[in-house]
Amino acid sequence: MNTTIVVYGSSTGTCEAIAEKIAQKLGCEAIDVQNLTADVVSNNQNLILGTSTWGAGELQDDWYDGLKVLQGADLSGKTIALFGCGDCESYGDTFVGGIGELFNALKSSGARFVGAVDVDGYTFGDSEAVVDGKFVGLPLDDVNEDDKTDTRIEAWIAAISPNL
């Protein structure tokens, strides 16, 4: 059985609320990255990883220890999907850079990444999370574009579900 877990890092609660929504729709559990262990990683085939973006496109603080757990685990054969929260208006030049950081840290792990999202329909200046013309995961701005959040989540879940 392909077990799935949603792991999030959230400082203000926005990313946590989105993680809970995604987990509910996928019928799985969401946990704070502070509770991520090697056992959690080994017991789940599919890892849905979410982070908010801080500063100049950086990961949410709790993710730095979480990345150490992931980098110390055998991720070969696992499936990873990324989602992130950002502010496309105030931080349009580093929009959802946190998911770019997660991707760059894990891209050579042997895991299969799913859930890239086309940049069409997003307003931003630049993002480390864009590779080959697509975001490496689901970008969300629940502050300036909260009216698009649910639709974007639904479309993304429909796209990644066959891969989980």
Side-chain angles (χ1 to χ4, degrees):
M1 183 172 152
N2 282 344
T3 53
T4 300
I5 192 158
V6 177
V7 182
Y8 64 87
S10 187
S11 295
T12 64
T14 301
C15 194
E16 177 180 7
I18 289 169
E20 293 288 348
K21 188 178 290 190
I22 290 170
Q24 180 182 23
K25 291 181 182 296
L26 290 172
C28 66
E29 181 183 4
I31 65 165
D32 190 305
V33 68
Q34 294 177 73
N35 299 319
L36 183 63
T37 64
D39 284 343
V40 169
V41 175
S42 67
N43 291 334
N44 288 280
Q45 179 61 31
N46 307 306
L47 306 171
I48 314 296
L49 309 177
T51 184
S52 49
T53 299
W54 292 93
E58 298 162 15
L59 284 170
Q60 189 271 346
D61 288 343
D62 299 327
W63 264 110
Y64 291 101
D65 287 336
L67 265 179
K68 290 176 187 171
V69 172
L70 290 170
Q71 290 170 325
D74 180 10
L75 299 180
S76 58
K78 294 195 182 283
T79 300
I80 295 177
L82 305 172
F83 70 94
C85 302
D87 181 335
C88 67
E89 290 184 11
S90 299
Y91 299 96
D93 58 339
T94 59
F95 182 56
V96 295
I99 60 173
E101 295 241 347
L102 282 176
F103 177 77
N104 288 331
L106 301 172
K107 66 183 176 185
S108 61
S109 66
R112 176 176 64 121
F113 284 84
V114 299
V117 173
D118 200 302
V119 297
D120 291 344
Y122 287 89
T123 304
F124 66 101
D126 193 19
S127 178
E128 182 183 347
V130 175
V131 176
D132 297 328
K134 290 189 173 198
F135 287 103
V136 296
L138 174 64
L140 297 167
D141 182 343
D142 207 45
V143 174
N144 302 298
E145 299 180 340
D146 60 320
D147 58 321
K148 299 177 182 178
T149 297
D150 287 340
T151 303
R152 287 174 171 168
I153 290 171
E154 290 288 340
W156 185 68
I157 287 174
I160 67 170
S161 290
N163 299 295
L164 303 179

